[in-house]
Amino acid sequence: MNERLRIKLSAVSGRPTITGPLIEHIVTTLTEAKARYITVEGEAGAFCEGLDLGRLSDPAEDWAAIHHSYADMLRALECAACPVVALVDGVALGGGLGLVAAADLVIATPRSTFGLPDVLVGLVPAIALPQLTQRLGVAKARLLALDGGTVDASTALRIGLVDEIADDLDVAVARHARRWLRTDIRAQHEVKVASAEMNAPNADAEAMRRFTKLLATAETQRRIVRMAAGEPPWLDDSEGEL
């Protein structure tokens, strides 16, 4: 299992824009991922520019299908078996902002900017808005969507859209990775699933099922014994894998 899996938003078209093939690439990569954490990255100066504006008027594009696929992609990011980090350098607009909001951790450079320009062209960020609402709360997400403008990195940090500002994104994510590598990967996966399903009708019962399932495993018991003895609870790299 790899420690880090990188998803490059320019991998398909050469530009960090939301397209059907990019969505398919991301979902496939997440489905097949075997890593301790995943980073989603754009290019220098542009994390993701959202939909390709030049193709919005193309009658050959099936936008309903693309929007459904985009929603599936955001759910895949939310339910990925390990932490997902958005490493933002530059602009994150429209659908790109949905990617940011779906990540577990968002680290941005000081020059980064964030916005939902949809209303400026007569559209609504219908798919990204629920993710933004989950991260920011209803009032802040709604205002961001209504305004159509952009906010800088310091404002994004203040309102909770960004978790950390750093000049060197790789150094910043490495600090978090050192902690993640000490955790039990099975437990991390269950945290991701439980968070995504917390509003389900049977959420309480499922939470208890996950707790008792993990408690009964040898890996969890070994970690408990070590912590109770005053020792570091993390095990070697072969333990606690899916």
Side-chain angles (χ1 to χ4, degrees):
M1 175 178 289
N2 296 323
E3 287 186 6
R4 176 178 181 176
L5 173 65
R6 294 176 183 260
I7 294 178
K8 297 287 288 185
L9 298 179
S10 58
V12 175
S13 67
R15 289 180 56 204
T17 56
I18 302 292
T19 63
L22 175 63
I23 292 170
E24 183 178 353
H25 167 69
I26 292 175
V27 171
T28 300
T29 301
L30 291 169
T31 301
E32 299 174 352
K34 292 291 184 181
R36 292 306 310 267
Y37 67 101
I38 297 167
T39 56
V40 181
E41 309 168 41
E43 296 296 320
F47 173 74
C48 184
E49 299 165 348
L51 292 172
D52 186 345
L53 293 179
R55 302 172 68 174
L56 277 175
S57 299
D58 186 348
E61 293 284 0
D62 186 348
W63 290 111
I66 290 176
H67 274 75
H68 284 301
S69 298
Y70 175 72
D72 291 340
M73 178 189 66
L74 295 184
R75 282 192 291 271
L77 287 166
E78 188 179 17
C79 296
C82 61
V84 175
V85 187
L87 297 180
V88 182
D89 179 38
V91 297
L93 300 175
L97 200 57
L99 289 171
V100 169
D104 301 300
L105 174 68
V106 181
I107 307 175
T109 59
R111 67 174 176 175
S112 298
T113 57
F114 306 82
L116 289 173
D118 304 60
V119 294
L120 298 178
V121 296
L123 295 173
V124 58
I127 310 300
L129 197 55
Q131 292 287 344
L132 281 168
T133 298
Q134 183 170 295
R135 177 168 263 271
L136 301 180
V138 174
K140 288 187 176 67
R142 183 175 58 216
L143 182 58
L144 198 61
L146 287 171
D147 185 75
T150 59
V151 297
D152 60 18
S154 60
T155 301
L157 179 67
R158 178 174 55 80
I159 66 176
L161 183 58
V162 166
D163 299 302
E164 183 178 339
I165 296 176
D167 292 312
D168 191 317
L169 298 177
D170 285 327
V171 170
V173 76
R175 285 199 311 274
H176 295 273
R178 283 193 291 272
R179 293 195 293 272
W180 291 332
L181 293 176
R182 294 173 175 176
T183 65
D184 186 305
I185 190 171
R186 302 163 308 122
Q188 276 196 332
H189 184 206
E190 294 293 353
V191 167
K192 293 292 297 285
V193 174
S195 298
E197 299 178 353
M198 66 173 58
N199 294 320
N202 61 340
D204 290 344
E206 281 298 300
M208 182 54 64
R209 183 192 63 79
R210 293 186 183 95
F211 178 86
T212 54
K213 173 186 172 183
L214 288 172
L215 184 62
T217 63
E219 289 86 353
T220 295
Q221 288 299 318
R222 283 198 290 268
R223 284 176 175 262
I224 291 172
V225 169
R226 288 172 66 90
M227 180 170 274
E231 301 174 5
W234 51 87
L235 310 176
D236 62 65
D237 291 340
S238 64
E239 304 276 9
E241 294 187 354
L242 289 173

